[in-house]
Amino acid sequence: MPSLHANWLDKINLSNQFSMVSTSIATLTLWHIWLSRHSAIFVGSSMSWICVRNQVIQGVHDLSISFNPKIQDSYINQLRLNHLSFNQIPVVVQNGTWTNWQVPPYGSLKLNIDGSCIDNACVGGGVIRDHTGMIILAFSSSFGIGNSAEAKAKAMHLGLRLCSERGLSISFMELDFLFLVNCFNDLWNPPWAIEYILRDCKNRIPSHAFVSLVFREANGLADRLAAHGHTCQGTFTFERDALPTTCHAAYQADLLGQPQYRPP
């Protein structure tokens, strides 16, 4: 009997709702058999399988009231649960969206930037592209100690400084950090650690340029360039034919307009 019980325990499957319910019913049955046997030995009452059955049925009824499984079982298991009078809560399915990097209008330039902070080590990266999606300039840099907001703000500042130094006038700047976008657009007050950085960024960016939020999935190339900053010291710039190998896939995906899935 012990080996039989151990074998049953080894085969318990709690991966779906029906298995959880059936395991609970088996446990209730064993429990009430034990109670009935205990009463027969110590109280002198007779064991009755009808009594055990009725107690298990009552236990299943109580379980069905307190336990409402969400529907994620197979169809046959859902029928079994319904037969046992278990009311099931439908799962609200949330669908994700598809997004991709958008080229700027004809004759204009777009700057995408991103920053990263791992163990307080701040890095950043960005890329300037034209209306065909071709890279005009890309960069990666390490910034020293700081936090994520500082990393992204410094990446923005570096990108705008490189534009100024090379005579590039951008019309659009995108990043995937709502906090920084709203601080730059004077919707929120920036923390003192990045206030002076944003002030200088506003002095460098063309007056006609738009600064906007983009989904992280549509900012993949800037993300890869920022991640590359963790492998280098100082600032590095790249032409389109000399990108780090970790950036090739993201660049090609953007050139082809390949959509990226964004979870709900």
Side-chain angles (χ1 to χ4, degrees):
M1 184 66 177
S3 60
L4 180 62
H5 184 253
N7 186 51
W8 175 72
L9 289 175
D10 290 337
K11 293 183 178 179
I12 288 179
N13 177 18
L14 301 179
S15 62
N16 56 64
Q17 281 84 11
F18 179 74
S19 295
M20 294 171 64
V21 172
S22 60
T23 300
S24 299
I25 293 173
T27 304
L28 280 171
T29 302
L30 291 175
W31 170 247
H32 286 294
I33 290 174
W34 182 88
L35 286 179
S36 180
R37 180 175 179 276
H38 183 273
S39 297
I41 294 174
F42 297 101
V43 180
S45 59
S46 59
M47 292 185 65
S48 170
W49 72 268
I50 296 177
C51 180
V52 170
R53 182 199 63 184
N54 292 339
Q55 289 172 328
V56 171
I57 292 175
Q58 182 61 45
V60 172
H61 175 72
D62 294 340
L63 181 62
S64 68
I65 295 175
S66 60
F67 176 64
N68 291 319
K70 293 183 178 180
I71 299 176
Q72 58 183 31
D73 264 343
S74 65
Y75 180 70
I76 188 63
N77 282 345
Q78 291 178 38
L79 292 179
R80 289 168 175 169
L81 288 171
N82 289 334
H83 183 70
L84 292 170
S85 301
F86 279 83
N87 297 319
Q88 300 177 70
I89 304 173
V91 175
V92 178
V93 178
Q94 296 181 333
N95 295 321
T97 57
W98 292 90
T99 184
N100 64 304
W101 180 78
Q102 299 291 322
V103 298
Y106 180 82
S108 60
L109 299 178
K110 179 187 285 189
L111 168 63
N112 284 80
I113 62 101
D114 199 10
S116 172
C117 184
I118 299 177
D119 295 331
N120 296 324
C122 291
V123 300
V127 57
I128 305 158
R129 287 174 282 191
D130 63 15
H131 64 276
T132 66
M134 300 301 289
I135 292 176
I136 307 301
L137 179 68
F139 63 91
S140 296
S141 182
S142 57
F143 301 126
I145 303 300
N147 56 43
S148 180
E150 291 178 85
K152 295 176 186 292
K154 290 179 179 179
M156 176 190 292
H157 184 269
L158 176 58
L160 292 173
R161 180 169 63 82
L162 290 173
C163 287
S164 299
E165 292 174 353
R166 305 202 178 200
L168 301 173
S169 179
I170 64 168
S171 299
F172 303 91
M173 181 168 64
E174 293 179 339
L175 58 155
D176 56 18
F177 191 37
L178 178 62
F179 175 77
L180 193 58
V181 172
N182 285 346
C183 287
F184 187 91
N185 291 325
D186 296 323
L187 299 177
W188 296 347
N189 294 322
W192 65 268
I194 64 172
E195 184 176 6
Y196 75 96
I197 302 176
L198 295 182
R199 189 182 303 119
D200 196 44
C201 287
K202 292 176 182 179
N203 292 331
R204 292 178 178 273
I205 194 169
S207 58
H208 65 274
F210 293 93
V211 179
S212 58
L213 179 73
V214 66
F215 288 142
R216 178 176 58 84
E217 291 77 11
N219 203 36
L221 181 53
D223 176 77
R224 298 278 73 78
L225 286 162
H228 182 71
H230 286 292
T231 68
C232 57
Q233 293 294 325
T235 300
F236 293 84
T237 58
F238 312 99
E239 304 296 333
R240 62 172 173 264
D241 296 329
L243 280 178
T245 56
T246 54
C247 302
H248 290 171
Y251 179 39
Q252 290 300 319
D254 287 348
L255 277 179
L256 296 172
Q258 180 178 327
Q260 306 296 321
Y261 179 71
R262 177 175 174 80

